[in-house]
Amino acid sequence: MDNQGLTLSCSPNFPQWLTERLLSLAFTTYQTNRLCFIGSGIDGRLKVHERLLDKPMGLYGDTGRLYLSTRYQIWEFQNILVSDVAQNEIIVSGLSQLRSQTFTGLGLEKRLMEMGDSPRCGLMVIDLKTGKPVHWLYFETMIEELFDVVVLPGVRQAQAIGLQGDEIQRLVTFPDSGNASFNYTLGDASLTGTAAVTVAVGANITGGNGNSDDNLVGTSGNDNIDGGICRELMPM
């Protein structure tokens, strides 16, 4: 695929692999001053997003934030979408990276010559049990060297809003937005009952009857809580 002059190729099932594991990749290359994101779209195709910065290098990221070091600055990108990651596992570790544009003097250079191949810049997904590559991504043009790579779990199609385009003028965020919950207790002298209230983004604000939990979903203006009828109070 071609992304504004950046041509790359990938293994046939690489986008599906990203989708199944609900993750994206971010990498830097100070050779071309790029921060790039690799993800999968709803159409099942690979999605590439890039931003130009002054010598982007080290990365650290998780579901909520991405930190990037450049020539003179440290950037913090915040995830403005709510992510749900069911597992808390290390996806990949123990990676090494080659930051030199030449293979001179390395054993890899001899192996490539014996195979009639030439050095290529890209990323590979390695099965740690077998040591074999299962997916790959190659940069055919422009990028010859990568500096750092991070996995962004719980993020399917990552993008970074630029400072010079129209996107940042239309972006509105609400601090501490997302899902939240609290418990409330009703009672008299002898009986009490406890229920949970979940506040989320949506349209339904009417609770049901019975002992099940009710969700409060805010709309524009004032919202009223109608928690339904609690049919039974249990002694504490």
Side-chain angles (χ1 to χ4, degrees):
M1 65 176 296
D2 190 294
N3 187 66
Q4 300 180 351
L6 173 61
T7 303
L8 52 84
S9 60
C10 68
S11 54
N13 296 324
F14 183 53
Q16 179 182 352
W17 183 84
L18 293 173
T19 300
E20 291 173 349
R21 284 153 181 81
L22 190 58
L23 57 85
S24 297
L25 303 177
F27 65 86
T28 55
T29 165
Y30 62 76
Q31 173 227 343
T32 61
N33 294 320
R34 277 173 166 78
L35 166 65
C36 295
F37 298 93
I38 304 293
S40 58
I42 58 176
D43 57 0
R45 302 180 60 183
L46 195 70
K47 297 297 181 182
V48 181
H49 178 78
E50 63 179 21
R51 287 296 176 192
L52 298 180
L53 297 108
D54 185 18
K55 299 299 181 185
M57 291 177 280
L59 287 171
Y60 173 81
D62 54 26
T63 58
R65 287 176 172 81
L66 176 67
Y67 296 94
L68 164 68
S69 65
T70 59
R71 188 197 298 263
Y72 302 115
Q73 299 168 311
I74 295 179
W75 293 75
E76 177 186 354
F77 300 90
Q78 294 189 10
N79 187 1
I80 60 174
L81 298 179
V82 177
S83 300
D84 181 13
V85 183
Q87 297 178 346
N88 182 22
E89 299 178 354
I90 298 176
I91 298 176
V92 63
S93 63
L95 297 181
S96 60
Q97 50 198 9
L98 182 66
R99 296 198 175 103
S100 174
Q101 298 185 25
T102 175
F103 288 90
T104 302
L106 298 178
L108 179 58
E109 179 184 21
K110 181 179 179 181
R111 292 183 58 186
L112 290 173
M113 292 179 60
E114 292 174 350
M115 298 171 57
D117 206 346
S118 58
R120 306 178 70 180
C121 181
L123 300 170
M124 282 193 173
V125 179
I126 306 297
D127 188 331
L128 298 181
K129 295 180 179 179
T130 64
K132 296 181 179 180
V134 292
H135 295 290
W136 49 265
L137 175 73
Y138 289 137
F139 306 99
E140 308 294 349
T141 59
M142 193 178 299
I143 296 179
E144 299 178 351
E145 176 183 356
L146 302 182
F147 187 92
D148 204 358
V149 182
V150 295
V151 175
L152 302 177
V155 181
R156 180 170 180 176
Q157 189 176 335
Q159 295 185 1
I161 295 179
L163 300 178
Q164 299 180 359
D166 296 335
E167 304 99 326
I168 196 170
Q169 301 178 23
R170 299 192 297 266
L171 176 67
V172 178
T173 61
F174 298 92
D176 301 323
S177 62
N179 292 353
S181 63
F182 62 90
N183 295 329
Y184 69 93
T185 301
L186 299 176
D188 55 20
S190 60
L191 300 176
T192 61
T194 301
V197 174
T198 299
V199 182
V201 177
N204 299 321
I205 60 173
T206 302
N209 297 329
N211 295 321
S212 60
D213 294 341
D214 297 319
N215 293 331
L216 168 66
V217 184
T219 59
S220 58
N222 295 328
D223 298 316
N224 297 320
I225 301 177
D226 179 4
I229 301 174
C230 184
R231 296 176 178 173
E232 183 178 5
L233 290 177
M234 300 297 294
M236 297 294 287

